[in-house]
Amino acid sequence: QILFVCMLLFLPTLKKLKLQPNKDTVFFRDGVRRIDFVLSYVDEKDGEKKQERRREFEANLEKAGLELETEDKTDSKDQKSYFLKIHAPWDVLATYADVLKIKVPFKVSDIPHGRDIPWEWLSHPFRLPEHVMHPQSDYFTYHFDKTKTDFYLINDKETFFPPSTRNRIVFYILARCPYYKEGRKEKDKTGIKRLLSNGTYTAAFPLHDCRYWKRARNAECESERYNLYKHWARFLCFYKEQPLNLIRKYYGEKIGIYFAWLGFYTEMLFFAAVMGLICFVYGVLSYDDNISSKEICDAEIGGSILMCPLCDKKCTFWTLNSTCLSSWQSHLFDNEGTVFFAIFMGIWVTLFLELWKRRQARLEYEWDLVDFEEEQQQLQIRPEFEIKCTNRRLNKITQEMEPYLPITTKCARYCLSAATVIFWISLIIACIIGVIAYRLAVYASFASVIKDPVRKIQLVGRFITPQLATSVTASCINFVTIMVLNFFYERVAIWITDMEIPKTHLEYENRLTTKMFMFQFVNYYSSCFYVAFFKGKFVNYPGDYSYIKNLLLTQLVIIMAGKQLWGNIQEALLLMRNWWSSRRGRHHPENHYSRWEQDHVLQNFSQLGLFYEYLEMVIQFGFITLFVASFPLAPLLALFNNILEIRVDAWKFTTQFRRPVAAKARSIGAWQEILNAVAILSVVTNAFIMAFTSDMIPRMVYLYAYSKEGSMKGYVNNSLSVFHISQIDKPNLPDDDDSFDNSTTCRYRDYRYPPGHDKEYTHTMQFWHILAAKMAFIIIMEHVVFVVKFFVAWMIPDIPSDVKARVKRERYLIQEYLHNYEVERLKLQLSASFITEPVSEISSMTDKHEVLSECL
């Protein structure tokens, strides 16, 4: 009896627990209609205007055919957030799929893919399961037509359009739905973006299909997020191939093409990294054959050569062997192998770009983007353009009235935009000049602290010299300046691009890409160009003795490595914060913590999120191509960084970001032209680096034209000119007068006639021979590399021959199937009309049927 009474008492609680629904779902409460989009908001006490906007907006959404369902704040974890769930029924999806020309399957493809690859078993450790690499069958596809639904393979209308296509359609409606009252046309009151900016809604996002660490309980959910995390986003999968088809299916083609490009770029970096490592190893192995360094370090040769002060008054005389370590370090990156590596990189960058075109063409075919024209983006005019452009004119093609921006307004906006960009670029140049002034002013201070280089090197470490201290601190200051200018210019670039009012999303991205890269190019590379091509080139005797090659190496390493390190630190801090906030989702049972609440706490992936990912990699591409001759290990460092970058980006997309709205793209857009421009410029910069910042040309000229023994012996003495100490003004003499041991002359790095000569301190003929050799080297290297580049580009077609054949075959089959479908459809129509027509018209209808069949 007691047990029976207890059961009666606890029965309501047991029923409540049993009947409590699973909230970790992507369906409405009825369990049938799928949630295609979610809007969240907080009902504020004084937010009457926001409530009115929401009422009008949601009413207009329902008029557009969307179905809505609201989750009250009492059901949310924070007890203050409302969630509006949106479902697009079949009629809405079909209508907008027709408008957007979305391709859908109509027949299973019978074109065989895949070819037998010899030694395929060697790649098995790097392969992923078949269901992950190819999550769906291959179909023939065609633009959706609402009037021909029986032509397509529609087995189930609820699952015919995948979730990525559904959320794309719903977002298209949300971006154009007004929220003004009926009868009042206020064009600026349109679209979800404006409602998000004014706080009417706090977030708008499609849902992930499940938790990333476990499969969905509902069998109708694909659990694609779980598969992406398990096989792609974990770092232990770094050696595995990327599931590009699954990425494209879940996130859309635009994100898929980014990861395809990043993966291909990383694969190609492997070959550049191997060659750079070989070049470096050659420098290490040829250590004992470096006669110049041996002479510098020799106490009898380098120790007996007194060098002139590097600055006035504060700098002392010094012996050449104090730079012994620097000369050995320079040989590691400045040797005969560097020339071949620079030529190799010129060819490598061409192979990379040409092979990527082929890879991209194959993806276009496999992802059904062959007939996707960028002009289709015109259908997706930016809502901001439609709102701000009140003028209308007739489109000569569509014969419809469309918004446009008057030419006078457009020119005024472009002029203001160009002036702003020029101002910021000038600001960068001013900062570079400031860093140059810092180098000139601070060098004397470091020299006064380190008065005796040999003695101080022995005490505080052989790496501390005035040259190195000045270079490192100036590079660090330059790096900080770069980061600060980046922070402000990113916001300025977005502002001026918005001010131009681009017509389409594609146009907006291309303009912003151009502005940002122009600024970043000057910001990141200007200091390296200065060190490589200008520093020390206009200094009069007794010259600047710092090793320019080493300075460029220091500048390159600090800025390139610093940028990568700074970006990784920022990502690490962001990921740690997001990780702690997302961990709480694991501690709540599925019936307490809903799918929309779990996604709501994630980071929003902005429209420009992918832009910054591309920008980071293209800036890195510039570092490893424009200045690679000064640092052959740069591709190796970039390779390690990119292996990590792929998995970090995958982890962010899978676990830390809300699901982005799917978008189409057939290429990497404007970045392709930027990469081509950087590739051409890299040939020129590396030729100039080898000629003017490397010591290779002077060594070769000495070896073949001036060496009496046919070797490099005596090169150091030959490359140093003589200066008479008595000709230094007394106020500029070092404070320590005993530092030159009563010597009458000192040496400096240049090719000038000695004191007492008729052409005292003017350049010798050897200087002009070396200059001529440098110019000849630049011309020869550029022509050789460019000829090879153009030959390779000509030899490698942009589209593989098998892809061309498949495209032609598929187009032919599509036309054939469409023809047969139209014939059968017409037969059915004629048969139906035949039954209803009078008997007297049977003969004429038969003739009509035959004629139409023959025409088709």
Side-chain angles (χ1 to χ4, degrees):
Q1 290 178 347
I2 295 174
L3 180 62
F4 180 72
V5 171
C6 291
M7 289 179 63
L8 291 177
L9 290 174
F10 287 102
L11 186 59
T13 304
L14 292 173
K15 285 184 177 180
K16 184 178 180 181
L17 291 173
K18 184 177 180 180
L19 297 175
Q20 189 172 12
N22 173 28
K23 299 179 71 174
D24 187 22
T25 179
V26 294
F27 293 95
F28 274 22
R29 296 190 191 99
D30 57 16
V32 177
R33 292 174 294 173
R34 189 182 187 106
I35 302 172
D36 298 315
F37 228 88
V38 173
L39 307 180
S40 67
Y41 61 91
V42 177
D43 195 4
E44 301 171 355
K45 295 181 180 179
D46 56 346
E48 295 181 0
K49 289 185 177 180
K50 294 180 180 179
Q51 291 179 3
E52 183 180 352
R53 292 183 199 133
R54 284 194 292 267
R55 282 195 299 269
E56 296 298 332
F57 185 68
E58 291 168 15
N60 289 329
L61 288 179
E62 290 180 329
K63 289 179 182 178
L66 298 178
E67 298 177 1
L68 312 178
E69 185 176 84
T70 304
E71 291 289 332
D72 194 80
K73 65 179 181 179
T74 57
D75 296 327
S76 63
K77 182 67 178 176
D78 59 9
Q79 296 291 304
K80 61 180 181 181
S81 296
Y82 292 84
F83 293 93
L84 178 68
K85 299 176 289 185
I86 302 175
H87 169 76
W90 169 258
D91 289 340
V92 174
L93 294 173
T95 299
Y96 283 92
D98 195 346
V99 170
L100 297 176
K101 305 298 181 184
I102 293 175
K103 283 187 165 185
V104 293
F106 68 89
K107 186 182 185 300
V108 178
S109 175
D110 56 4
I111 299 178
H113 287 270
R115 295 170 295 177
D116 294 334
I117 302 175
W119 306 96
E120 186 179 4
W121 58 272
L122 292 175
S123 63
H124 284 173
F126 310 101
R127 294 296 182 93
L128 292 175
E130 184 65 20
H131 74 279
V132 176
M133 291 302 299
H134 300 94
Q136 57 187 2
S137 302
D138 191 18
Y139 295 97
F140 290 136
T141 59
Y142 191 69
H143 300 299
F144 187 81
D145 187 342
K146 192 177 180 180
T147 62
K148 300 177 181 178
T149 53
D150 55 334
F151 176 67
Y152 307 102
L153 293 178
I154 305 177
N155 297 322
D156 185 356
K157 290 183 177 181
E158 294 299 323
T159 59
F160 179 68
F161 293 107
S164 58
T165 302
R166 298 175 69 101
N167 70 55
R168 178 185 165 204
I169 291 174
V170 173
F171 183 75
Y172 182 87
I173 299 172
L174 291 174
R176 287 157 178 79
C177 184
Y179 57 88
Y180 50 78
K181 291 184 179 179
E182 189 174 355
R184 296 174 58 188
K185 293 188 176 181
E186 302 171 83
K187 286 293 184 180
D188 60 330
K189 294 186 176 182
T190 302
I192 186 62
K193 290 184 179 179
R194 192 170 180 85
L195 290 172
L196 289 171
S197 63
N198 61 31
T200 304
Y201 291 99
T202 57
F205 53 92
L207 291 179
H208 284 294
D209 60 0
C210 66
R211 300 184 176 194
Y212 68 85
W213 65 88
K214 63 185 298 186
R215 293 185 180 276
R217 293 176 59 183
N218 191 331
E220 296 183 11
C221 288
E222 301 84 357
S223 297
E224 291 174 346
R225 186 190 186 192
Y226 168 78
N227 287 330
L228 286 170
Y229 175 74
K230 180 180 178 181
H231 299 286
W232 178 52
R234 295 188 301 168
F235 182 74
L236 294 178
C237 301
F238 73 93
Y239 63 95
K240 296 279 190 179
E241 60 184 336
Q242 294 189 88
L244 294 177
N245 290 318
L246 184 58
I247 297 170
R248 170 245 183 173
K249 183 173 182 287
Y250 192 74
Y251 292 114
E253 287 81 1
K254 193 170 186 177
I255 292 177
I257 205 78
Y258 163 73
F259 280 104
W261 176 81
L262 181 57
F264 184 80
Y265 171 46
T266 304
E267 292 172 9
M268 291 296 293
L269 271 178
F270 173 78
F271 302 102
V274 170
M275 290 301 297
L277 186 61
I278 292 174
C279 178
F280 177 77
V281 171
Y282 172 79
V284 175
L285 296 179
S286 60
Y287 187 89
D288 295 330
D289 299 329
N290 186 11
I291 299 176
S292 299
S293 294
K294 288 182 177 180
E295 290 183 350
I296 292 174
C297 298
D298 193 323
E300 296 182 359
I301 301 176
S304 63
I305 297 177
L306 183 69
M307 302 297 293
C308 298
L310 299 177
C311 62
D312 294 334
K313 195 173 182 178
K314 295 295 183 182
C315 300
T316 63
F317 293 91
W318 51 287
T319 56
L320 183 60
N321 64 351
S322 63
T323 60
C324 176
L325 180 61
S326 178
S327 67
W328 287 115
Q329 292 172 343
S330 177
H331 176 73
L332 295 178
F333 301 102
D334 184 11
N335 53 67
E336 293 78 6
T338 309
V339 181
F340 297 100
F341 182 64
I343 296 174
F344 168 81
M345 287 302 295
I347 300 172
W348 173 88
V349 72
T350 304
L351 286 172
F352 164 64
L353 294 175
E354 293 301 319
L355 293 177
W356 165 247
K357 290 178 185 177
R358 292 171 61 84
R359 176 67 173 134
Q360 188 171 259
R362 193 173 294 278
L363 286 175
E364 287 179 21
Y365 170 74
E366 294 176 355
W367 290 358
D368 222 0
L369 298 170
V370 174
D371 296 326
F372 176 76
E373 298 293 340
E374 300 297 352
E375 284 74 14
Q376 291 183 17
Q377 298 289 340
Q378 302 299 324
L379 295 170
Q380 303 182 27
I381 296 176
R382 295 175 66 238
E384 293 85 352
F385 184 85
E386 295 176 330
I387 293 169
K388 295 180 181 179
C389 297
T390 56
N391 298 305
R392 294 289 188 273
R393 67 181 176 187
L394 184 68
N395 188 310
K396 296 180 180 179
I397 299 175
T398 63
Q399 294 297 309
E400 295 179 356
M401 299 299 292
E402 66 174 10
Y404 81 101
L405 196 65
I407 187 67
T408 54
T409 306
K410 186 181 294 186
C411 289
R413 291 173 182 270
Y414 285 175
C415 289
L416 179 58
S417 175
T420 306
V421 173
I422 293 172
F423 167 78
W424 278 88
I425 291 178
S426 302
L427 185 61
I428 298 173
I429 297 174
C431 292
I432 296 298
I433 295 174
V435 173
I436 296 172
Y438 166 85
R439 288 177 182 270
L440 297 175
V442 172
Y443 183 83
S445 300
F446 279 118
S448 64
V449 174
I450 313 174
K451 288 185 178 180
D452 185 353
V454 178
R455 177 169 55 84
K456 291 296 180 182
I457 285 174
Q458 293 173 349
L459 290 175
V460 299
R462 301 178 65 190
F463 293 97
I464 307 301
T465 62
Q467 300 98 317
L468 183 61
T470 303
S471 180
V472 170
T473 55
S475 298
C476 292
I477 292 173
N478 189 31
F479 173 70
V480 173
T481 305
I482 287 172
M483 293 294 104
V484 173
L485 290 175
N486 270 351
F487 176 79
F488 289 105
Y489 182 76
E490 285 179 3
R491 288 148 181 80
V492 173
I494 294 173
W495 174 73
I496 59 179
T497 306
D498 290 337
M499 181 192 63
E500 293 175 3
I501 319 179
K503 186 176 182 180
T504 65
H505 293 291
L506 180 66
E507 189 178 347
Y508 181 90
E509 290 183 6
N510 288 344
R511 290 188 189 180
L512 182 60
T513 298
T514 304
K515 292 183 183 67
M516 284 294 294
F517 185 76
M518 284 174 58
F519 177 83
Q520 300 279 13
F521 184 90
V522 178
N523 199 17
Y524 279 109
Y525 303 141
S526 57
S527 59
C528 293
F529 274 103
Y530 159 71
V531 173
F533 305 127
F534 298 101
K535 180 174 172 54
K537 299 299 185 296
F538 308 103
V539 178
N540 204 357
Y541 58 88
D544 187 345
Y545 308 100
S546 57
Y547 284 82
I548 306 301
K549 183 82 173 183
N550 289 346
L551 288 180
L552 178 57
L553 174 62
T554 304
Q555 189 85 5
L556 182 64
V557 169
I558 288 179
I559 294 180
M560 178 182 172
K563 181 187 180 301
Q564 300 290 346
L565 183 61
W566 176 252
N568 292 337
I569 289 175
Q570 285 182 313
E571 287 188 347
L573 293 175
L574 177 65
L575 296 180
M576 287 178 63
R577 186 186 69 181
N578 294 343
W579 182 77
W580 282 110
S581 62
S582 64
R583 285 288 295 178
R584 62 182 180 179
R586 295 199 180 199
H587 302 298
H588 295 280
E590 294 178 350
N591 54 356
H592 286 167
Y593 204 38
S594 63
R595 163 74 10 233
W596 42 92
E597 287 180 277
Q598 294 177 48
D599 287 4
H600 183 255
V601 299
L602 299 178
Q603 292 291 312
N604 179 49
F605 186 76
S606 67
Q607 183 182 354
L608 298 177
L610 210 57
F611 166 81
Y612 292 111
E613 301 294 343
Y614 271 119
L615 181 62
E616 179 184 358
M617 289 295 103
V618 172
I619 292 295
Q620 181 204 87
F621 178 80
F623 276 121
I624 69 166
T625 54
L626 293 174
F627 308 103
V628 73
S630 64
F631 188 39
L633 291 181
L636 183 64
L637 298 181
L639 175 64
F640 290 145
N641 177 83
N642 288 9
I643 291 174
L644 179 64
E645 182 75 19
I646 290 175
R647 302 303 160 179
V648 170
D649 286 350
W651 189 76
K652 287 191 301 184
F653 271 94
T654 313
T655 68
Q656 303 304 306
F657 284 140
R658 296 170 187 160
R659 186 173 184 173
V661 178
K664 280 186 173 292
R666 64 180 300 178
S667 67
I668 60 176
W671 298 111
Q672 183 74 41
E673 298 304 320
I674 290 174
L675 292 174
N676 289 332
V678 172
I680 294 173
L681 182 60
S682 67
V683 178
V684 180
T685 57
N686 282 297
F688 272 86
I689 288 173
M690 294 303 302
F692 287 101
T693 68
S694 169
D695 205 31
M696 184 200 69
I697 302 296
R699 290 199 302 263
M700 294 297 102
V701 171
Y702 174 80
L703 178 64
Y704 294 109
Y706 289 90
S707 176
K708 297 178 180 180
E709 301 179 4
S711 67
M712 291 303 295
K713 288 184 178 180
Y715 168 72
V716 173
N717 185 63
N718 175 265
S719 64
L720 298 175
S721 298
V722 180
F723 190 82
H724 207 289
I725 296 177
S726 63
Q727 292 178 296
I728 300 177
D729 295 335
K730 287 187 177 181
N732 294 332
L733 284 172
D735 294 335
D736 186 3
D737 293 336
D738 298 331
S739 60
F740 55 93
D741 297 329
N742 298 320
S743 298
T744 58
T745 59
C746 62
R747 310 294 293 273
Y748 61 98
R749 180 69 186 271
D750 207 343
Y751 296 93
R752 294 177 183 268
Y753 289 108
H757 194 277
D758 294 339
K759 299 180 180 180
E760 182 180 279
Y761 301 137
T762 60
H763 286 120
T764 64
M765 284 303 298
Q766 186 174 354
F767 170 84
W768 300 110
H769 289 164
I770 292 173
L771 181 61
K774 289 179 177 180
M775 300 307 297
F777 173 82
I778 292 172
I779 295 172
I780 293 172
M781 179 177 172
E782 286 182 355
H783 281 71
V784 168
V785 175
F786 277 130
V787 167
V788 174
K789 280 170 64 69
F790 291 131
F791 178 74
V792 169
W794 175 75
M795 285 291 294
I796 302 176
D798 292 346
I799 303 176
S801 57
D802 63 315
V803 172
K804 285 183 180 180
R806 290 171 187 269
V807 169
K808 291 179 180 179
R809 170 67 176 164
E810 186 166 328
R811 284 175 176 170
Y812 168 76
L813 292 176
I814 288 174
Q815 293 299 323
E816 185 179 10
Y817 289 131
L818 279 172
H819 168 265
N820 294 335
Y821 169 78
E822 293 292 348
V823 170
E824 293 299 324
R825 188 180 184 186
L826 183 58
K827 286 181 179 180
L828 291 174
Q829 292 176 353
L830 293 175
S831 299
S833 62
F834 173 79
I835 295 174
T836 58
E837 288 290 334
V839 177
S840 61
E841 299 181 3
I842 291 178
S843 60
S844 63
M845 288 298 298
T846 303
D847 296 338
K848 184 179 180 181
H849 185 183
E850 292 176 355
V851 170
L852 287 173
S853 298
E854 290 178 2
C855 291
L856 288 172

